[in-house]
mmCIF file of all heavy atoms in Angstrom:
data_model
loop_
_atom_site.group_PDB
_atom_site.id
_atom_site.type_symbol
_atom_site.label_atom_id
_atom_site.label_comp_id
_atom_site.label_asym_id
_atom_site.label_seq_id
_atom_site.Cartn_x
_atom_site.Cartn_y
_atom_site.Cartn_z
ATOM 1 N N ASP P 1113 14.852 -7.809 -6.389
ATOM 2 C CA ASP P 1113 16.082 -7.590 -7.127
ATOM 3 C C ASP P 1113 17.202 -8.481 -6.577
ATOM 4 O O ASP P 1113 17.580 -8.342 -5.395
ATOM 5 C CB ASP P 1113 16.463 -6.119 -7.051
ATOM 6 C CG ASP P 1113 17.606 -5.724 -8.003
ATOM 7 O OD1 ASP P 1113 18.465 -6.593 -8.262
ATOM 8 O OD2 ASP P 1113 17.640 -4.589 -8.456
ATOM 9 N N GLU P 1114 17.695 -9.378 -7.390
ATOM 10 C CA GLU P 1114 18.690 -10.371 -6.955
ATOM 11 C C GLU P 1114 20.037 -9.743 -6.637
ATOM 12 O O GLU P 1114 20.860 -10.384 -5.968
ATOM 13 C CB GLU P 1114 18.874 -11.461 -8.004
ATOM 14 C CG GLU P 1114 18.995 -11.006 -9.439
ATOM 15 C CD GLU P 1114 17.671 -10.591 -10.055
ATOM 16 O OE1 GLU P 1114 16.742 -11.385 -10.083
ATOM 17 O OE2 GLU P 1114 17.578 -9.431 -10.507
ATOM 18 N N THR P 1115 20.256 -8.510 -7.016
ATOM 19 C CA THR P 1115 21.513 -7.842 -6.660
ATOM 20 C C THR P 1115 21.459 -7.268 -5.258
ATOM 21 O O THR P 1115 22.472 -6.818 -4.721
ATOM 22 C CB THR P 1115 21.863 -6.732 -7.663
ATOM 23 O OG1 THR P 1115 20.912 -5.634 -7.524
ATOM 24 C CG2 THR P 1115 21.886 -7.218 -9.087
ATOM 25 N N VAL P 1116 20.282 -7.226 -4.657
ATOM 26 C CA VAL P 1116 20.097 -6.662 -3.331
ATOM 27 C C VAL P 1116 19.675 -7.689 -2.297
ATOM 28 O O VAL P 1116 20.165 -7.705 -1.177
ATOM 29 C CB VAL P 1116 19.059 -5.517 -3.389
ATOM 30 C CG1 VAL P 1116 18.778 -4.943 -1.986
ATOM 31 C CG2 VAL P 1116 19.494 -4.418 -4.328
ATOM 32 N N PHE P 1117 18.820 -8.626 -2.720
ATOM 33 C CA PHE P 1117 18.263 -9.584 -1.794
ATOM 34 C C PHE P 1117 18.796 -10.988 -2.118
ATOM 35 O O PHE P 1117 18.741 -11.418 -3.303
ATOM 36 C CB PHE P 1117 16.741 -9.614 -1.853
ATOM 37 C CG PHE P 1117 16.104 -8.287 -1.490
ATOM 38 C CD1 PHE P 1117 15.738 -7.388 -2.479
ATOM 39 C CD2 PHE P 1117 15.902 -7.935 -0.163
ATOM 40 C CE1 PHE P 1117 15.191 -6.147 -2.164
ATOM 41 C CE2 PHE P 1117 15.357 -6.719 0.168
ATOM 42 C CZ PHE P 1117 14.985 -5.824 -0.829
ATOM 43 N N ASP P 1118 19.295 -11.684 -1.135
ATOM 44 C CA ASP P 1118 19.761 -13.045 -1.299
ATOM 45 C C ASP P 1118 18.569 -13.978 -1.507
ATOM 46 O O ASP P 1118 17.623 -13.956 -0.705
ATOM 47 C CB ASP P 1118 20.566 -13.484 -0.049
ATOM 48 C CG ASP P 1118 21.117 -14.863 -0.177
ATOM 49 O OD1 ASP P 1118 21.618 -15.206 -1.274
ATOM 50 O OD2 ASP P 1118 21.040 -15.629 0.820
ATOM 51 N N GLU P 1119 18.587 -14.729 -2.590
ATOM 52 C CA GLU P 1119 17.477 -15.645 -2.920
ATOM 53 C C GLU P 1119 16.146 -14.885 -2.794
ATOM 54 O O GLU P 1119 15.302 -15.188 -1.939
ATOM 55 C CB GLU P 1119 17.465 -16.868 -2.024
ATOM 56 C CG GLU P 1119 18.684 -17.753 -2.187
ATOM 57 C CD GLU P 1119 18.544 -18.996 -1.301
ATOM 58 O OE1 GLU P 1119 17.736 -19.879 -1.677
ATOM 59 O OE2 GLU P 1119 19.235 -19.046 -0.260
ATOM 60 N N PRO P 1120 15.915 -13.856 -3.616
ATOM 61 C CA PRO P 1120 14.745 -13.016 -3.454
ATOM 62 C C PRO P 1120 13.413 -13.697 -3.599
ATOM 63 O O PRO P 1120 12.391 -13.189 -3.065
ATOM 64 C CB PRO P 1120 14.937 -11.955 -4.527
ATOM 65 C CG PRO P 1120 15.793 -12.609 -5.564
ATOM 66 C CD PRO P 1120 16.705 -13.500 -4.797
ATOM 67 N N ASP P 1121 13.386 -14.838 -4.290
ATOM 68 C CA ASP P 1121 12.114 -15.530 -4.473
ATOM 69 C C ASP P 1121 11.848 -16.557 -3.368
ATOM 70 O O ASP P 1121 10.970 -17.394 -3.513
ATOM 71 C CB ASP P 1121 12.086 -16.224 -5.847
ATOM 72 C CG ASP P 1121 12.143 -15.212 -7.003
ATOM 73 O OD1 ASP P 1121 11.477 -14.165 -6.832
ATOM 74 O OD2 ASP P 1121 12.825 -15.448 -7.984
ATOM 75 N N ARG P 1122 12.639 -16.471 -2.293
ATOM 76 C CA ARG P 1122 12.414 -17.345 -1.145
ATOM 77 C C ARG P 1122 11.756 -16.523 -0.032
ATOM 78 O O ARG P 1122 12.254 -15.468 0.339
ATOM 79 C CB ARG P 1122 13.755 -17.929 -0.660
ATOM 80 C CG ARG P 1122 13.646 -18.756 0.619
ATOM 81 C CD ARG P 1122 14.966 -19.464 0.898
ATOM 82 N NE ARG P 1122 16.056 -18.506 1.000
ATOM 83 C CZ ARG P 1122 16.438 -17.892 2.117
ATOM 84 N NH1 ARG P 1122 15.766 -18.132 3.251
ATOM 85 N NH2 ARG P 1122 17.458 -17.064 2.131
ATOM 86 N N PHE P 1123 10.636 -17.002 0.515
ATOM 87 C CA PHE P 1123 9.929 -16.354 1.601
ATOM 88 C C PHE P 1123 10.568 -16.834 2.908
ATOM 89 O O PHE P 1123 10.544 -18.029 3.214
ATOM 90 C CB PHE P 1123 8.464 -16.716 1.551
ATOM 91 C CG PHE P 1123 7.627 -16.109 2.638
ATOM 92 C CD1 PHE P 1123 7.464 -14.734 2.730
ATOM 93 C CD2 PHE P 1123 6.962 -16.888 3.578
ATOM 94 C CE1 PHE P 1123 6.697 -14.136 3.710
ATOM 95 C CE2 PHE P 1123 6.188 -16.336 4.585
ATOM 96 C CZ PHE P 1123 6.041 -14.962 4.644
ATOM 97 N N ASP P 1124 11.159 -15.893 3.669
ATOM 98 C CA ASP P 1124 11.935 -16.253 4.850
ATOM 99 C C ASP P 1124 11.640 -15.267 5.981
ATOM 100 O O ASP P 1124 12.075 -14.106 5.914
ATOM 101 C CB ASP P 1124 13.419 -16.213 4.497
ATOM 102 C CG ASP P 1124 14.343 -16.542 5.681
ATOM 103 O OD1 ASP P 1124 13.791 -16.952 6.746
ATOM 104 O OD2 ASP P 1124 15.561 -16.411 5.569
ATOM 105 N N VAL P 1125 10.916 -15.709 6.986
ATOM 106 C CA VAL P 1125 10.507 -14.804 8.081
ATOM 107 C C VAL P 1125 11.669 -14.360 8.933
ATOM 108 O O VAL P 1125 11.506 -13.445 9.756
ATOM 109 C CB VAL P 1125 9.403 -15.454 8.945
ATOM 110 C CG1 VAL P 1125 8.150 -15.696 8.171
ATOM 111 C CG2 VAL P 1125 9.913 -16.741 9.602
ATOM 112 N N ALA P 1126 12.831 -14.970 8.755
ATOM 113 C CA ALA P 1126 14.031 -14.565 9.510
ATOM 114 C C ALA P 1126 14.983 -13.713 8.662
ATOM 115 O O ALA P 1126 16.104 -13.464 9.088
ATOM 116 C CB ALA P 1126 14.730 -15.771 10.075
ATOM 117 N N ARG P 1127 14.565 -13.269 7.480
ATOM 118 C CA ARG P 1127 15.445 -12.596 6.563
ATOM 119 C C ARG P 1127 16.049 -11.331 7.184
ATOM 120 O O ARG P 1127 15.323 -10.461 7.691
ATOM 121 C CB ARG P 1127 14.701 -12.217 5.304
ATOM 122 C CG ARG P 1127 15.559 -11.497 4.250
ATOM 123 C CD ARG P 1127 14.752 -11.110 3.023
ATOM 124 N NE ARG P 1127 14.293 -12.265 2.302
ATOM 125 C CZ ARG P 1127 15.027 -12.940 1.391
ATOM 126 N NH1 ARG P 1127 16.271 -12.537 1.126
ATOM 127 N NH2 ARG P 1127 14.516 -13.982 0.764
ATOM 128 N N GLN P 1128 17.375 -11.236 7.137
ATOM 129 C CA GLN P 1128 18.103 -10.041 7.551
ATOM 130 C C GLN P 1128 19.390 -9.958 6.736
ATOM 131 O O GLN P 1128 20.043 -11.002 6.548
ATOM 132 C CB GLN P 1128 18.449 -10.083 9.060
ATOM 133 C CG GLN P 1128 17.268 -9.787 9.949
ATOM 134 C CD GLN P 1128 17.676 -9.726 11.411
ATOM 135 O OE1 GLN P 1128 18.336 -10.628 11.930
ATOM 136 N NE2 GLN P 1128 17.330 -8.647 12.090
#
Side-chain angles (χ1 to χ4, degrees):
D1113 190 328
E1114 45 284 303
T1115 68
V1116 176
F1117 300 96
D1118 182 41
E1119 296 184 74
D1121 295 321
R1122 176 172 56 88
F1123 180 64
D1124 179 7
V1125 296
R1127 180 181 294 275
Q1128 285 185 309

